Amino acid sequence: MNEINKTEQVLNSEFSIKDLGQLKYFLGIEIARSSKGILLYQRKYVLDLLAETCLLASKPCSTPMEYGKQLLSIDTGTPLTNPTVYRRLMGKLLYLTHTRPDISFSVGHLSQFLSKPTDKHFEAAKRILRYIKGSISLGIFFPIISDFKIKAHTDSDWAACPDSRKSISAYYFFIGNSLISWKSKKQQVVARSSAEAEYRAMALGACEAQWLLYLLQDLQIPHPQPVMLYCDNQSAIHIASNPVFHERTKHIEVDCHSVREKIEAGILHLLSIHTKSQTADILTKSLSPQLFHHFLSKLGMLNIHIPACGDC
């Protein structure tokens, strides 16, 4: 607190600032505090977005994307006469993903059609709005009681894109029980196997793990144990453990070296996990409502207006 007070005095002498007390609302993000922790959510932002799109009275959906259908393609549907509406909507949904990792995959998938959106893409975007209508106050919860052990899940959906057949990489990171980082991103090259796609996702997660360790080091928070990184692909784990490169792995040699270097340095520790327990699937593909909400419950997210959810 002494350092915080000194910093405030220096800033006040230069810029004439004032202390507004505890943070409650900032740039569309609301902060709720209790004796159990802090919740970040965007209820007002969501309500304004639903009112702007005239979907306040719409029927909620159980998932952000329709299950059982192939992902949308560039040539799906009829081009919109006014694509600006779609682009503005996707921009606002992208900002919402700051506290809603459950819609990261669907928003990321629809964002690749900004150049030539169609009516099918716009309908899919409105489904996301109907989904968040059923969970307006859902947000990320940071509990007070927690340790500083970093653990991560990485996953990929092989050849998911119907247009380019590029795979989807995804990861999320926890510090203790708090979700702090997540990403769902299309890979830059076409993977020739599911193992290659998984390994590229693992390499992406390894870079994020290294950055988080550097950040903790700057904050003078020790993290002596390696980052626990869970992967559901045995082939990718064996490639990371085997120091011998074969012909079938030469094309991903850079990623192999990157991950193996961090394993040998004690930064990462790879662990196998069953596919049914791979919660990172929520960031790589559309899931059934039952599986989607099962994985969502593992991400440490709470709805502040549902007391039974964590008794918050």
Side-chain angles (χ1 to χ4, degrees), residues 193-267:
S193 66
S194 59
E196 179 184 346
E198 291 280 355
Y199 212 98
R200 294 192 187 280
M202 190 186 300
L204 188 67
C207 294
E208 181 70 9
Q210 181 69 79
W211 182 84
L212 289 173
L213 290 177
Y214 285 148
L215 181 60
L216 289 180
Q217 183 179 354
D218 291 341
L219 296 174
Q220 299 183 7
I221 300 175
H223 193 277
Q225 63 273 22
V227 175
M228 300 297 179
L229 196 150
Y230 293 89
C231 176
D232 62 356
N233 190 286
Q234 292 289 342
S235 298
I237 294 177
H238 291 326
I239 293 174
S241 304
N242 185 7
V244 179
F245 285 97
H246 301 284
E247 184 178 356
R248 69 184 61 182
T249 61
K250 285 184 178 179
H251 55 291
I252 54 172
E253 191 169 345
V254 174
D255 287 330
C256 289
H257 276 300
S258 175
V259 176
R260 186 173 298 130
E261 182 183 51
K262 290 176 174 55
I263 294 175
E264 293 176 351
I267 296 174

Side-chain angles (χ1 to χ4, degrees), residues 2-12 17:
N2 290 332
E3 293 296 329
I4 292 176
N5 292 332
K6 289 180 181 178
T7 303
E8 288 183 350
Q9 292 175 4
V10 172
L11 291 175
N12 186 45
I17 66 171

Side-chain angles (χ1 to χ4, degrees), residues 44-57 92 129 133:
K44 183 180 183 301
Y45 184 86
V46 171
L47 289 174
D48 293 342
L49 183 56
L50 292 173
E52 181 182 337
T53 54
C54 302
L55 291 175
L56 272 175
K92 294 184 176 182
L129 292 174
K133 182 182 182 296

Side-chain angles (χ1 to χ4, degrees), residues 160-196:
C161 179
D163 297 310
S164 63
R165 285 305 170 191
K166 293 181 179 179
S167 306
I168 304 295
S169 293
Y171 65 72
Y172 67 81
F173 282 79
F174 276 87
I175 288 186
N177 299 320
S178 303
L179 180 65
I180 59 167
S181 178
W182 61 89
K183 176 173 283 190
S184 177
K185 181 181 180 181
K186 184 192 292 187
Q187 296 181 3
Q188 295 182 352
V189 296
V190 179
R192 298 172 60 184
S193 66
S194 59
E196 179 184 346

